[in-house]
Amino acid sequence: MQLKLLADAQRRAKDEAGSTHTVETLVRHYPSKANWGTLVQRLWAKPSLAVRLQLDVFRLQQAVAGLMKPATSPRWPSWRCKPALLPKPSR
C-alpha cells in the first residue's frame, strides 16, 4: 500500500522517473494485473522507447492481456478461415 501511495505522490509531483521506478518495484514484489498494465502503459508513453524494443513491449502487452479475464481483454481479429471459404477436398 505504501508503494502505491509513493508512486501516486511521485506522479503528482511530476517525478516520472521516480514514479516509474516505484511501479517497477511494485511489479517485482506484487505482480498484479493492474500493476503490469500500469507499467506497460508507461513503457508506451516513454518518448525514448527505441524502435527495436517496441516489438518486445508489444509482446509484453499481449502477455499482460492474457492475464486478464477473457471479457476484459482486448479483442483481436480472428485469423481463422471460415469452413465455408475453404476449398472442398478432392476425392
Side-chain angles (χ1 to χ4, degrees):
M1 185 66 176
Q2 291 177 353
L3 285 174
K4 287 184 181 183
L5 290 173
L6 178 61
D8 186 50
Q10 289 170 328
R11 185 185 55 82
R12 291 176 191 237
K14 309 270 188 224
D15 180 13
E16 292 300 321
S19 179
T20 301
H21 178 72
T22 304
V23 171
E24 289 172 358
T25 304
L26 269 169
V27 166
R28 190 175 308 120
H29 295 290
Y30 307 102
S32 70
K33 300 170 200 174
N35 292 342
W36 273 108
T38 302
L39 185 60
V40 169
Q41 287 175 351
R42 288 177 187 239
L43 286 171
W44 280 123
K46 206 174 197 182
S48 62
L49 181 65
V51 175
R52 62 186 175 87
L53 296 177
Q54 289 180 355
L55 181 59
D56 293 332
V57 174
F58 181 73
R59 287 178 179 155
L60 179 61
Q61 181 179 358
Q62 294 300 308
V64 169
L67 293 174
M68 297 179 189
K69 295 178 184 175
T72 60
S73 64
R75 304 228 176 219
W76 302 105
S78 175
W79 298 106
R80 296 181 191 145
C81 294
K82 294 181 180 178
L85 300 177
L86 293 175
K88 295 190 180 198
S90 59
R91 293 183 186 195

